[in-house]
Amino acid sequence: MDTAKKKRNPIAIVFLAILGIFGGLQLFSKPLEGKPVTGKIEAPKEVISILENSCFNCHSNQQNLSWYDKLAPVSWAVNKDIKRAREVLNFSEWEKLSPAEHQGKMYAILNMMQSGKMPLHEYTLLHPSAKITEKDIETIKKYTLSLSSVNPPAPKKSEVPAATSSSTSISASTKFPVSPNGVRYTPDFKNWKVISMSTLFDHSIRVIYGNDIAVKAVETENFHPWPDGSIVVKSVWKQEELPDGEIRPGKFINAQFMVKDSRQYKDTEGWGFAKFSGDDLHPTGKTASFAKESCIACHRQLAEKTGYLFDVPMKVNTQRLIQNLQKK
């Protein structure tokens, strides 16, 4: 009888041990650093509602976390994800971005939603109310397109390089613009080979050019990773419909550069990103970190399989293609 009393339930012992460990972990759980809201996004109520419901918990300083999000070890992963998300996009610091950057961020948000990459699947498993519907996507799409019709304020004269009547050329006496991260605009891309083309829901035409190194990488299917020295340029125009129904490039929008240098651009998967917009080709970004904050997040999520380049390249005069044609 006494021996039986002394025996302890092994299940109870295990449970108490787990409870003790779990309680101990809470001692190492630090609350998420609180930050002020310095500037809110201004948008229609229905847009704000979608963003608050599906994005703000990670991409703002206004967290409304569930109790289980605050318990270690879950809290460690949650805090890490929020810090990373804030670096990419923070709706509570929206005033720090220019109108052009606002538009670019909304395009990125729409792309992520349409591809099903955001909100994260693991997040919606625990927060099902944050799931995005087709109606939500259409609402965000409509708002994003409306931003394209708003003309951004003209740069100050001191900031505008002299330009010719051509929308993508600059006079020979003027230095070509340089992005904050060191990527320099060059008109030479117009003589490179076209490696792909695409259109977007904003009724744009996009032609993607590659330099010799990039073209060879396409021909040999050696673009994961792309070799250093590869340069890819996406030139974007508005679609213009002629009276006979033919679609041609209309107004020039921007030229988007990707320069592969694995040493210089370690934080962005070895790619140097740049965008030169408008007739004056003004570069996007105020500091060299703009690509880390604005560009690479989308490329990591949507284009990892093609070496972080959107639009899988078309084959360019490959030897194999030529041989196949000769056999016919």
Side-chain angles (χ1 to χ4, degrees), residues 112-176:
M112 287 294 196
M113 289 182 175
Q114 287 182 318
S115 64
K117 298 290 186 179
M118 287 288 173
L120 294 173
H121 177 64
E122 52 267 33
Y123 178 77
T124 55
L125 283 176
L126 295 176
H127 307 82
S129 62
K131 289 183 178 179
I132 293 292
T133 66
E134 290 298 325
K135 184 178 179 181
D136 293 337
I137 292 175
E138 284 303 311
T139 300
I140 296 296
K141 180 177 180 180
K142 182 178 179 181
Y143 172 65
T144 302
L145 285 173
S146 72
L147 297 178
S148 301
S149 62
V150 179
N151 294 322
K156 297 178 182 179
K157 290 184 179 181
S158 60
E159 298 175 349
V160 180
T164 68
S165 59
S166 171
S167 59
T168 56
S169 62
I170 297 180
S171 62
S173 60
T174 305
K175 291 182 178 180
F176 294 128

Coordinates of all heavy atoms in Angstrom, one line a residue, residues 112-176:
M112 N 1.9 40.7 -54.8 CA 2.0 39.7 -53.7 C 0.6 39.1 -53.5 O 0.5 37.8 -53.3 CB 2.5 40.3 -52.4 CG 4.0 40.6 -52.5 SD 5.0 39.2 -52.6 CE 6.6 39.8 -52.2
M113 N -0.4 39.9 -53.5 CA -1.8 39.4 -53.2 C -2.3 38.5 -54.3 O -2.8 37.4 -54.1 CB -2.8 40.5 -53.0 CG -2.6 41.3 -51.7 SD -3.9 42.6 -51.5 CE -3.5 43.1 -49.8
Q114 N -2.0 38.9 -55.6 CA -2.5 38.2 -56.7 C -1.8 36.8 -56.8 O -2.3 35.8 -57.3 CB -2.2 39.0 -58.0 CG -3.2 40.1 -58.2 CD -3.0 40.9 -59.5 OE1 -1.8 41.1 -59.9 NE2 -4.0 41.3 -60.2
S115 N -0.5 36.8 -56.4 CA 0.3 35.5 -56.5 C 0.0 34.6 -55.3 O 0.5 33.5 -55.3 CB 1.8 35.9 -56.6 OG 2.2 36.5 -55.4
G116 N -0.7 35.1 -54.3 CA -1.0 34.3 -53.1 C 0.1 34.3 -52.1 O 0.1 33.4 -51.2
K117 N 1.1 35.1 -52.3 CA 2.3 35.1 -51.4 C 2.1 35.9 -50.1 O 2.7 35.7 -49.1 CB 3.5 35.7 -52.2 CG 3.9 34.9 -53.4 CD 4.6 33.6 -53.0 CE 5.1 32.9 -54.2 NZ 5.8 31.6 -53.9
M118 N 1.1 36.8 -50.2 CA 0.8 37.7 -49.0 C -0.7 37.8 -48.8 O -1.4 37.9 -49.8 CB 1.4 39.1 -49.1 CG 2.9 39.1 -48.9 SD 3.4 38.8 -47.2 CE 5.2 38.7 -47.4
P119 N -1.2 37.7 -47.6 CA -0.4 37.4 -46.4 C 0.2 36.0 -46.4 O -0.3 35.1 -47.1 CB -1.5 37.5 -45.3 CG -2.6 38.3 -45.9 CD -2.6 37.9 -47.3
L120 N 1.2 35.8 -45.6 CA 1.9 34.5 -45.6 C 0.9 33.4 -45.2 O 0.0 33.6 -44.3 CB 3.0 34.5 -44.6 CG 4.2 35.5 -44.9 CD1 5.2 35.5 -43.7 CD2 4.9 35.0 -46.2
H121 N 1.1 32.2 -45.8 CA 0.2 31.1 -45.6 C 0.2 30.7 -44.1 O -0.8 30.4 -43.5 CB 0.6 29.9 -46.5 CG -0.2 28.7 -46.2 ND1 -1.6 28.6 -46.5 CD2 0.1 27.4 -45.8 CE1 -2.0 27.4 -46.2 NE2 -1.0 26.7 -45.7
E122 N 1.4 30.7 -43.5 CA 1.6 30.2 -42.1 C 0.9 31.3 -41.2 O 0.5 30.9 -40.1 CB 3.0 30.1 -41.7 CG 3.9 31.2 -42.0 CD 4.6 31.1 -43.4 OE1 4.0 30.5 -44.3 OE2 5.8 31.6 -43.5
Y123 N 0.8 32.5 -41.6 CA 0.1 33.5 -40.8 C -1.4 33.3 -40.9 O -2.1 33.4 -39.8 CB 0.5 34.9 -41.3 CG -0.2 36.0 -40.6 CD1 0.2 36.4 -39.3 CD2 -1.3 36.7 -41.1 CE1 -0.4 37.4 -38.6 CE2 -2.0 37.7 -40.4 CZ -1.5 38.1 -39.2 OH -2.1 39.1 -38.5
T124 N -2.0 33.1 -42.1 CA -3.4 32.9 -42.2 C -3.9 31.6 -41.6 O -5.1 31.5 -41.3 CB -3.8 33.0 -43.7 OG1 -3.1 32.0 -44.4 CG2 -3.6 34.4 -44.2
L125 N -3.0 30.7 -41.4 CA -3.4 29.4 -40.7 C -3.9 29.7 -39.3 O -4.8 29.2 -38.8 CB -2.3 28.4 -40.7 CG -2.0 27.7 -42.0 CD1 -0.8 26.8 -41.8 CD2 -3.2 26.8 -42.4
L126 N -3.1 30.6 -38.6 CA -3.5 31.0 -37.2 C -4.4 32.2 -37.2 O -5.0 32.5 -36.1 CB -2.2 31.3 -36.4 CG -1.2 30.1 -36.2 CD1 0.0 30.6 -35.5 CD2 -1.9 29.0 -35.4
H127 N -4.4 33.0 -38.3 CA -5.3 34.2 -38.4 C -6.1 34.1 -39.6 O -5.9 34.9 -40.6 CB -4.4 35.4 -38.4 CG -3.4 35.5 -37.2 ND1 -2.2 34.8 -37.3 CD2 -3.5 36.1 -36.0 CE1 -1.6 35.1 -36.1 NE2 -2.3 35.8 -35.4
P128 N -7.1 33.2 -39.7 CA -7.9 33.0 -40.9 C -8.7 34.3 -41.3 O -9.0 34.4 -42.5 CB -8.9 31.9 -40.5 CG -8.9 31.9 -39.0 CD -7.5 32.3 -38.6
S129 N -9.0 35.2 -40.4 CA -9.7 36.4 -40.8 C -8.9 37.3 -41.7 O -9.4 38.2 -42.3 CB -10.1 37.1 -39.6 OG -9.0 37.5 -38.8
A130 N -7.5 37.1 -41.8 CA -6.7 37.9 -42.5 C -6.6 37.5 -44.0 O -5.9 38.1 -44.8 CB -5.3 37.9 -41.9
K131 N -7.2 36.4 -44.4 CA -7.2 35.9 -45.7 C -7.7 36.9 -46.7 O -8.7 37.7 -46.4 CB -7.9 34.6 -45.9 CG -7.3 33.4 -45.2 CD -8.0 32.1 -45.4 CE -7.3 30.9 -44.8 NZ -8.1 29.7 -45.0
I132 N -7.1 37.0 -47.9 CA -7.5 37.9 -49.0 C -8.5 37.3 -49.9 O -8.3 36.1 -50.3 CB -6.3 38.4 -49.8 CG1 -5.4 39.2 -48.9 CG2 -6.7 39.2 -51.0 CD1 -5.9 40.5 -48.5
T133 N -9.6 38.0 -50.3 CA -10.6 37.5 -51.2 C -10.4 38.1 -52.6 O -9.6 39.1 -52.7 CB -12.0 37.8 -50.7 OG1 -12.2 39.2 -50.8 CG2 -12.2 37.3 -49.3
E134 N -11.0 37.5 -53.6 CA -10.9 38.1 -54.9 C -11.5 39.5 -55.0 O -10.9 40.3 -55.7 CB -11.7 37.2 -55.9 CG -11.0 35.8 -56.2 CD -9.7 36.0 -56.8 OE1 -9.5 36.9 -57.6 OE2 -8.8 35.2 -56.5
K135 N -12.5 39.7 -54.2 CA -13.1 41.1 -54.1 C -12.0 42.1 -53.5 O -11.9 43.2 -54.0 CB -14.3 41.1 -53.2 CG -15.0 42.4 -53.2 CD -16.3 42.4 -52.3 CE -17.0 43.7 -52.3 NZ -18.2 43.7 -51.4
D136 N -11.3 41.6 -52.5 CA -10.2 42.5 -51.9 C -9.2 42.8 -52.9 O -8.7 44.0 -53.0 CB -9.6 41.7 -50.7 CG -10.5 41.5 -49.5 OD1 -11.5 42.3 -49.4 OD2 -10.3 40.6 -48.8
I137 N -8.8 41.8 -53.7 CA -7.8 42.0 -54.7 C -8.2 43.1 -55.8 O -7.5 43.9 -56.2 CB -7.4 40.7 -55.4 CG1 -6.7 39.8 -54.4 CG2 -6.5 40.9 -56.6 CD1 -6.3 38.4 -55.0
E138 N -9.5 43.0 -56.2 CA -10.0 43.9 -57.2 C -10.1 45.3 -56.6 O -9.8 46.3 -57.3 CB -11.4 43.5 -57.6 CG -11.5 42.3 -58.6 CD -10.6 42.6 -59.8 OE1 -10.8 43.7 -60.4 OE2 -9.8 41.8 -60.2
T139 N -10.4 45.4 -55.3 CA -10.4 46.7 -54.6 C -9.0 47.4 -54.6 O -8.8 48.5 -54.9 CB -10.9 46.6 -53.2 OG1 -12.3 46.1 -53.2 CG2 -10.9 48.0 -52.5
I140 N -8.0 46.6 -54.2 CA -6.6 47.0 -54.2 C -6.1 47.4 -55.6 O -5.4 48.4 -55.8 CB -5.7 46.0 -53.6 CG1 -6.1 45.7 -52.1 CG2 -4.2 46.4 -53.7 CD1 -5.9 46.9 -51.2
K141 N -6.5 46.6 -56.6 CA -6.1 46.8 -58.0 C -6.7 48.1 -58.5 O -6.0 48.9 -59.1 CB -6.6 45.6 -58.9 CG -6.3 45.8 -60.3 CD -6.7 44.5 -61.1 CE -6.4 44.6 -62.6 NZ -6.8 43.4 -63.3
K142 N -8.0 48.4 -58.2 CA -8.6 49.6 -58.7 C -7.9 50.8 -58.1 O -7.7 51.8 -58.8 CB -10.1 49.6 -58.3 CG -10.9 50.8 -58.7 CD -12.3 50.7 -58.4 CE -13.1 51.9 -58.8 NZ -14.6 51.8 -58.4
Y143 N -7.6 50.7 -56.8 CA -6.9 51.8 -56.1 C -5.5 52.0 -56.7 O -5.1 53.2 -56.9 CB -6.9 51.6 -54.6 CG -6.0 52.6 -53.9 CD1 -6.4 53.9 -53.8 CD2 -4.8 52.2 -53.3 CE1 -5.6 54.9 -53.2 CE2 -4.0 53.2 -52.6 CZ -4.4 54.5 -52.6 OH -3.7 55.4 -51.9
T144 N -4.8 50.9 -56.9 CA -3.4 51.0 -57.4 C -3.4 51.7 -58.8 O -2.6 52.5 -59.1 CB -2.8 49.6 -57.5 OG1 -2.8 49.1 -56.2 CG2 -1.3 49.7 -58.0
L145 N -4.3 51.3 -59.6 CA -4.4 51.9 -61.0 C -4.8 53.3 -60.9 O -4.3 54.1 -61.8 CB -5.5 51.1 -61.8 CG -5.1 49.7 -62.3 CD1 -6.2 49.0 -63.0 CD2 -3.9 49.8 -63.3
S146 N -5.5 53.7 -59.9 CA -5.9 55.2 -59.8 C -4.7 56.0 -59.5 O -4.6 57.2 -59.9 CB -6.9 55.3 -58.7 OG -6.4 55.2 -57.4
L147 N -3.7 55.4 -58.9 CA -2.5 56.2 -58.5 C -1.7 56.5 -59.8 O -0.9 57.5 -59.8 CB -1.6 55.4 -57.6 CG -2.2 55.1 -56.2 CD1 -1.2 54.3 -55.3 CD2 -2.5 56.4 -55.5
S148 N -1.8 55.7 -60.8 CA -1.1 55.9 -62.1 C -1.5 57.1 -62.8 O -0.8 57.7 -63.6 CB -1.2 54.7 -63.0 OG -0.7 53.5 -62.4
S149 N -2.8 57.5 -62.5 CA -3.3 58.7 -63.2 C -3.0 60.0 -62.6 O -3.3 61.1 -63.0 CB -4.9 58.6 -63.3 OG -5.4 58.6 -62.0
V150 N -2.3 59.9 -61.4 CA -1.9 61.1 -60.7 C -0.5 61.5 -61.0 O 0.4 60.7 -60.9 CB -2.0 60.9 -59.1 CG1 -1.5 62.1 -58.4 CG2 -3.4 60.5 -58.7
N151 N -0.3 62.6 -61.6 CA 1.0 63.1 -62.0 C 1.9 63.5 -60.8 O 1.4 64.3 -60.0 CB 0.9 64.3 -63.0 CG 0.3 63.9 -64.3 OD1 0.5 62.8 -64.8 ND2 -0.6 64.8 -64.8
P152 N 3.0 62.9 -60.6 CA 3.9 63.2 -59.5 C 4.4 64.6 -59.6 O 4.6 65.1 -60.8 CB 5.0 62.2 -59.5 CG 5.1 61.7 -60.9 CD 3.7 61.8 -61.4
P153 N 4.7 65.3 -58.5 CA 5.3 66.7 -58.6 C 6.6 66.7 -59.4 O 7.4 65.8 -59.3 CB 5.5 67.1 -57.2 CG 5.6 65.8 -56.4 CD 4.7 64.8 -57.1
A154 N 6.8 67.7 -60.2 CA 8.0 67.8 -61.0 C 9.2 68.1 -60.1 O 9.1 68.8 -59.2 CB 7.8 69.0 -62.0
P155 N 10.3 67.4 -60.4 CA 11.5 67.6 -59.6 C 12.0 69.0 -59.8 O 11.7 69.7 -60.8 CB 12.5 66.6 -60.3 CG 11.7 65.6 -61.0 CD 10.5 66.4 -61.5
K156 N 12.7 69.5 -58.8 CA 13.3 70.8 -58.8 C 14.3 70.9 -60.0 O 14.9 70.0 -60.4 CB 14.0 71.2 -57.5 CG 13.1 71.2 -56.3 CD 13.8 71.5 -55.0 CE 12.9 71.5 -53.8 NZ 13.7 71.7 -52.6
K157 N 14.4 72.1 -60.5 CA 15.3 72.3 -61.7 C 16.7 71.8 -61.4 O 17.3 71.3 -62.3 CB 15.3 73.8 -62.1 CG 14.0 74.2 -62.7 CD 14.1 75.7 -63.2 CE 12.7 76.1 -63.8 NZ 12.8 77.5 -64.3
S158 N 17.2 72.0 -60.2 CA 18.5 71.6 -59.9 C 18.7 70.1 -59.9 O 19.8 69.6 -60.0 CB 18.9 72.2 -58.5 OG 18.1 71.7 -57.5
E159 N 17.6 69.4 -59.8 CA 17.6 67.9 -59.7 C 17.4 67.3 -61.1 O 17.5 66.1 -61.2 CB 16.6 67.4 -58.7 CG 16.8 67.9 -57.3 CD 15.7 67.5 -56.4 OE1 14.7 67.0 -56.9 OE2 15.8 67.7 -55.2
V160 N 17.0 68.1 -62.1 CA 16.6 67.5 -63.4 C 17.8 67.6 -64.3 O 18.2 68.7 -64.7 CB 15.4 68.2 -63.9 CG1 15.0 67.6 -65.3 CG2 14.2 68.2 -63.0
P161 N 18.3 66.5 -64.8 CA 19.4 66.5 -65.8 C 18.8 67.0 -67.1 O 17.6 66.7 -67.5 CB 19.8 65.1 -65.9 CG 18.7 64.3 -65.4 CD 18.0 65.1 -64.4
A162 N 19.6 67.7 -67.9 CA 19.1 68.2 -69.2 C 18.7 67.0 -70.1 O 19.5 66.0 -70.2 CB 20.2 69.0 -69.9
A163 N 17.6 67.1 -70.8 CA 17.1 66.0 -71.6 C 16.8 66.5 -73.0 O 16.4 67.6 -73.2 CB 15.9 65.3 -70.9
T164 N 16.8 65.6 -73.9 CA 16.4 66.0 -75.3 C 15.0 65.6 -75.5 O 14.3 65.2 -74.5 CB 17.3 65.1 -76.3 OG1 16.9 63.8 -76.1 CG2 18.7 65.2 -76.0
S165 N 14.4 65.8 -76.6 CA 13.0 65.5 -76.9 C 12.8 64.0 -76.8 O 11.6 63.6 -76.6 CB 12.6 66.0 -78.3 OG 13.5 65.4 -79.3
S166 N 13.8 63.2 -76.9 CA 13.6 61.7 -76.8 C 13.4 61.4 -75.3 O 14.2 61.9 -74.5 CB 14.8 61.0 -77.3 OG 14.7 59.6 -77.0
S167 N 12.5 60.5 -75.0 CA 12.1 60.2 -73.6 C 13.2 59.4 -73.0 O 13.2 59.2 -71.8 CB 10.8 59.5 -73.5 OG 10.8 58.4 -74.3
T168 N 14.1 58.7 -73.7 CA 15.0 57.9 -73.1 C 16.5 58.2 -73.4 O 17.3 57.4 -73.5 CB 14.8 56.4 -73.4 OG1 14.8 56.3 -74.9 CG2 13.4 55.9 -72.9
S169 N 16.7 59.5 -73.8 CA 18.1 59.9 -74.1 C 18.4 61.2 -73.5 O 17.5 62.0 -73.2 CB 18.2 60.0 -75.7 OG 17.3 61.0 -76.1
I170 N 19.7 61.4 -73.3 CA 20.2 62.6 -72.6 C 21.3 63.1 -73.5 O 22.0 62.4 -74.1 CB 20.7 62.3 -71.2 CG1 19.6 61.8 -70.3 CG2 21.3 63.5 -70.6 CD1 20.0 61.4 -68.9
S171 N 21.4 64.4 -73.5 CA 22.5 65.0 -74.4 C 23.8 64.5 -74.0 O 24.1 64.2 -72.8 CB 22.4 66.6 -74.2 OG 22.7 66.9 -72.9
A172 N 24.7 64.5 -75.0 CA 26.1 63.9 -74.8 C 26.9 64.7 -73.7 O 27.7 64.1 -73.1 CB 26.8 63.9 -76.1
S173 N 26.5 66.0 -73.6 CA 27.3 66.8 -72.6 C 26.8 66.6 -71.2 O 27.4 67.1 -70.3 CB 27.2 68.3 -73.0 OG 25.8 68.7 -73.0
T174 N 25.7 65.9 -71.0 CA 25.2 65.7 -69.7 C 25.6 64.3 -69.1 O 25.5 63.3 -69.8 CB 23.7 65.8 -69.7 OG1 23.3 67.1 -70.3 CG2 23.1 65.7 -68.3
K175 N 25.9 64.2 -67.9 CA 26.2 62.9 -67.3 C 25.0 62.1 -67.1 O 23.9 62.7 -66.8 CB 26.9 63.2 -65.9 CG 28.3 63.8 -66.0 CD 28.9 63.9 -64.6 CE 30.3 64.5 -64.6 NZ 30.9 64.6 -63.2
F176 N 25.1 60.8 -67.3 CA 23.9 60.0 -67.1 C 23.6 59.9 -65.6 O 24.5 59.8 -64.8 CB 24.2 58.6 -67.7 CG 24.4 58.6 -69.2 CD1 25.5 58.0 -69.8 CD2 23.5 59.2 -70.0 CE1 25.7 58.0 -71.1 CE2 23.7 59.2 -71.4 CZ 24.8 58.6 -72.0

